[in-house]
Amino acid sequence: MKNIIKLTLAICGMLFISCNSETSLQRYFVDHQSDADFVAVDLATSLLDARTKKVNLSDDEREALESIKKVNFLAMPLKEGTKTRYEEEKAKINTILDANKYETLMRFGSNGTKAVLKFQGEEDNIDEMIVFASNGERGLALVRVLGDDMKPGNVAKLMNAIDKGDVDIGAIKDILGDVKID
């Protein structure tokens, strides 16, 4: 009987230690999916496959696209009466992102917008990238890119191709539909 009690206590102790009260980024996304103050979009890159096969991508850009498995987008547009909530949510996100498991790749900002790019994994083989941007007049946006061994240089080339208009992101626009974030 004593052995059963000791075993039960040991298992409870391990469960207690393994449970973490910190909110994860994934939990934050799940908790805010159906929140009326937020706009949430989850995109599997397989939705883009048909469109990107028609686009002329370099080998590096194609490798970058193929390394991305899923993109989660969450935004809180600032509206009348949501300024306090905006500040609270911004603080929660910063607390999550300041955890030791995320490395800062860069910080940037202009015109009142502050943004940070963080990652998890090795510097040359990233498994998760996070972009968090906030603006005291417009709101906040959080983008989580999940993948396998993403190479920052290749992802940067893909982002430049998208920025220049070399890659058709019509599939994303179709999915977003009439969602407007001012």
Side-chain angles (χ1 to χ4, degrees), residues 91-103:
K92 286 179 191 177
I93 294 168
N94 279 323
T95 299
I96 293 168
L97 295 180
D98 285 342
N100 289 336
K101 69 181 194 176
Y102 297 110
E103 297 286 331

Side-chain angles (χ1 to χ4, degrees), residues 2-175:
K2 288 182 181 181
N3 287 338
I4 293 174
I5 292 173
K6 287 180 183 178
L7 181 62
T8 304
L9 287 174
I11 291 172
C12 288
M14 287 189 294
L15 287 174
F16 180 74
I17 290 170
S18 68
C19 292
N20 191 344
S21 63
E22 291 180 20
T23 302
S24 70
L25 193 58
Q26 180 174 349
R27 169 83 350 225
Y28 187 85
F29 271 91
V30 170
D31 289 347
H32 292 82
Q33 286 284 320
S34 58
D35 190 313
D37 289 335
F38 284 81
V39 175
V41 177
D42 292 329
L43 239 226
T45 53
S46 60
L47 295 172
L48 302 175
D49 282 348
R51 295 242 180 177
T52 58
K53 290 194 185 334
K54 299 175 189 172
V55 177
N56 187 19
L57 295 175
S58 73
D59 290 341
D60 289 344
E61 293 165 348
R62 182 145 324 271
E63 181 183 344
L65 184 63
E66 289 171 357
S67 71
I68 297 170
K69 302 301 176 208
K70 186 175 183 180
V71 178
N72 303 120
F73 174 81
L74 189 65
M76 181 186 175
L78 204 54
K79 303 175 202 165
E80 189 173 323
T82 61
K83 182 72 172 174
T84 301
R85 174 124 193 247
Y86 159 80
E87 293 296 339
E88 291 168 357
E89 298 299 331
K90 184 173 129 182
K92 286 179 191 177
I93 294 168
N94 279 323
T95 299
I96 293 168
L97 295 180
D98 285 342
N100 289 336
K101 69 181 194 176
Y102 297 110
E103 297 286 331
T104 301
L105 194 57
M106 78 167 82
R107 293 182 184 277
F108 49 97
S110 68
N111 299 328
T113 300
K114 293 181 182 177
V116 63
L117 175 60
K118 296 200 170 230
F119 72 94
Q120 185 177 21
E122 301 296 318
E123 284 186 26
D124 56 346
N125 288 313
I126 296 174
D127 297 319
E128 179 179 2
M129 286 191 308
I130 299 104
V131 179
F132 174 52
S134 62
N135 181 301
E137 294 177 11
R138 299 183 72 199
L140 59 85
L142 186 60
V143 180
R144 182 176 181 223
V145 180
L146 300 169
D148 289 324
D149 299 328
M150 295 180 285
K151 294 179 177 32
N154 291 353
V155 172
K157 289 176 186 176
L158 178 62
M159 298 311 290
N160 284 336
I162 291 170
D163 191 41
K164 290 188 302 188
D166 294 343
V167 176
D168 179 13
I169 57 171
I172 296 171
K173 291 177 184 175
D174 293 344
I175 292 165

